[in-house]
Amino acid sequence: MAGTGVGKSLFLCHHAANCLKQNLNVLYITCEMAEERIDERIDANILDVTIDNLRELPKTVYEKKIQNISAGVKGKLIIKEYPTAAANVTHFRNLMEELKIKKKFIPDVIFVDYLNIRSCARFKLGNGMNSYTYVKGIAEELRGLAKQLNIPLWTATQVNREGAKSSDMEMTDTSESFGLPQTADFFFALIENEELAQTGQLMLS
């Protein structure tokens, strides 16, 4: 979890790039940022350049760098964008079945960016449905998908108002539903303060 603009997508893209370097097949599902922006960030991580430098690279230089890296990276990357709050775990299962049939692609790891802006297959908001139950339902469905496939699934969530003010967040600072950290197998916070921001660093807690 992390505050707004701290680096949830940044971390997920960085981790996805590292998985590709380990020759793992990566499925990256984005419900917020465009596919092109995710691809750009992962490329920048793999090539070890900044986003600005990546955009300034001549096409021939970019293609040569990608070609050189591709020789040692056997993992495949699929990025799929869904509208905010429009996709649930059923859509993800259908996507993976389609990728398996059409592209012979089976993921070794899944990234969902991010949990709170996707929908729940079992519950609908409204009619007295509270955020605790709804968000916990999303977390349970994602965990169930990961268990079914027997692969890791990474996602992210926001902090609440108190957590946004803190430099030492706890699980109780999770926004919308404490049921989320109760469901996750592994949970940590990305923390940024003024000192860390000046050095371009984040702290994991």
Side-chain angles (χ1 to χ4, degrees), residues 182-199:
Q182 290 177 323
T183 303
D185 293 306
F186 177 60
F187 195 79
F188 65 90
L190 293 174
I191 297 173
E192 180 184 61
N193 54 35
E194 291 184 8
E195 183 178 349
L196 290 169
Q198 290 175 357
T199 59

Side-chain angles (χ1 to χ4, degrees), residues 93-158:
R93 285 194 172 95
N94 291 339
L95 169 65
M96 283 183 282
E97 187 62 28
E98 184 179 354
L99 291 172
K100 181 179 179 181
I101 294 171
K102 294 182 178 180
K103 296 191 175 183
K104 310 298 181 186
F105 177 88
I106 299 175
D108 297 306
V109 57
I110 300 173
F111 294 84
V112 178
D113 189 4
Y114 61 94
L115 185 142
N116 300 66
I117 56 173
R118 50 153 299 222
S119 61
C120 182
R122 295 174 295 164
F123 308 129
K124 301 297 180 185
L125 281 174
N127 298 323
M129 173 60 62
N130 59 71
S131 62
Y132 175 91
T133 303
Y134 189 78
V135 174
K136 188 174 190 295
I138 295 174
E140 289 172 345
E141 290 173 359
L142 287 179
R143 188 177 187 276
L145 177 64
K147 292 289 286 185
Q148 177 189 358
L149 299 174
N150 194 31
I151 62 174
L153 186 152
W154 292 83
T155 188
T157 189
Q158 297 271 22

Side-chain angles (χ1 to χ4, degrees), residues 34-121:
E35 292 177 12
E36 294 80 8
R37 299 287 76 79
I38 297 297
D39 190 25
E40 188 177 55
R41 289 186 176 201
I42 292 176
D43 280 355
N45 272 281
I46 291 176
L47 298 175
D48 195 24
V49 298
T50 66
I51 293 291
D52 290 338
N53 288 339
L54 180 68
R55 291 170 178 167
E56 293 171 0
L57 283 177
K59 184 178 179 180
T60 53
V61 176
Y62 170 79
E63 289 177 344
K64 186 174 181 180
K65 284 179 174 287
I66 288 293
Q67 187 176 12
N68 291 338
I69 294 252
S70 298
V73 176
K74 305 304 179 185
K76 296 180 180 179
L77 170 67
I78 297 289
I79 304 171
K80 176 62 177 178
E81 179 185 0
Y82 290 99
T84 299
N88 58 50
V89 73
T90 302
H91 297 93
F92 302 164
R93 285 194 172 95
N94 291 339
L95 169 65
M96 283 183 282
E97 187 62 28
E98 184 179 354
L99 291 172
K100 181 179 179 181
I101 294 171
K102 294 182 178 180
K103 296 191 175 183
K104 310 298 181 186
F105 177 88
I106 299 175
D108 297 306
V109 57
I110 300 173
F111 294 84
V112 178
D113 189 4
Y114 61 94
L115 185 142
N116 300 66
I117 56 173
R118 50 153 299 222
S119 61
C120 182

